[in-house]
Amino acid sequence: MHMTVSMFALKAALVAGLAACASQICLAADGGATEEQAVAMVKKGVAFIKANGREKGFAEISTKGGQFTFQDLYLVAYGLDGTVRAHGANIKMVGKNLIDLKDVDGKAFVKERVEMAASKGTFWQDYKFTNPENKKIEPKRMYCEKFEDMAICGGIYK
């Protein structure tokens, strides 16, 4: 009986949350995450690393379907040398130096990203990347914050 009441309460909370989200237009027009959600998730990721340390933070960011993934939004942590420290969509990228990686237009977006992190600290970056939900190359807008010797980033597809 207790389990049934708990499940009912959980379902009611989810429905209430979805209704609140719908009234605030929580999703972008195409069904993806919003810029506001990207900023909030990056800030949450930085706070998590500060509170729990790098090892636990990187593991949590790299957990597919974990607290740092939402629809097409996920976090990535880069060292300022271009090495991936954590990746919410592709664990195989962790440990790889992607400083020379270019998008379909030839933009060295990782190099630009770490340079912007070093010079600006907090910024938005535009480039093209494969959307993990539909596997299509799409324009992407990435929000990043420098934290110590890293850039913690989360992006949306436009």
Side-chain angles (χ1 to χ4, degrees):
M1 179 73 178
H2 183 264
M3 182 66 145
T4 306
V5 172
S6 296
M7 289 302 292
F8 178 78
L10 177 62
K11 286 180 183 177
L14 285 171
V15 169
L18 289 172
C21 189
S23 69
Q24 296 171 7
I25 310 173
C26 290
L27 305 178
D30 62 357
T34 65
E35 287 185 4
E36 294 79 12
Q37 288 168 322
V39 170
M41 189 174 290
V42 168
K43 290 185 180 308
K44 181 180 170 185
V46 170
F48 188 92
I49 294 169
K50 282 181 184 176
N52 298 284
R54 289 175 179 236
E55 188 176 333
K56 202 169 186 181
F58 295 160
E60 190 64 29
I61 288 170
S62 297
T63 300
K64 209 169 188 175
Q67 67 175 308
F68 296 112
T69 59
F70 174 72
Q71 295 176 343
D72 58 355
L73 172 61
Y74 56 90
L75 292 187
V76 181
Y78 284 93
L80 294 183
D81 64 349
T83 301
V84 178
R85 306 275 177 84
H87 200 295
N90 188 350
I91 192 84
K92 292 177 186 169
M93 292 292 108
V94 175
K96 294 188 180 193
N97 187 304
L98 302 180
I99 198 78
D100 295 322
L101 187 63
K102 295 182 175 147
D103 73 2
V104 294
D105 295 331
K107 181 178 191 170
F109 64 93
V110 175
K111 184 175 194 293
E112 178 185 81
R113 182 173 302 154
V114 297
E115 287 173 354
M116 289 171 79
S119 65
K120 294 184 177 193
T122 301
F123 59 93
W124 282 97
Q125 179 193 35
D126 294 300
Y127 63 107
K128 292 183 180 159
F129 202 71
T130 304
N131 184 325
E133 290 203 325
N134 63 22
K135 309 297 183 217
K136 293 180 183 173
I137 295 172
E138 297 178 348
K140 186 166 186 174
R141 189 137 212 261
M142 186 76 94
Y143 174 76
C144 300
E145 287 188 10
K146 181 178 182 253
F147 173 64
E148 296 176 350
D149 61 344
M150 300 173 285
I152 311 296
C153 306
I156 61 164
Y157 292 88
K158 301 192 281 184

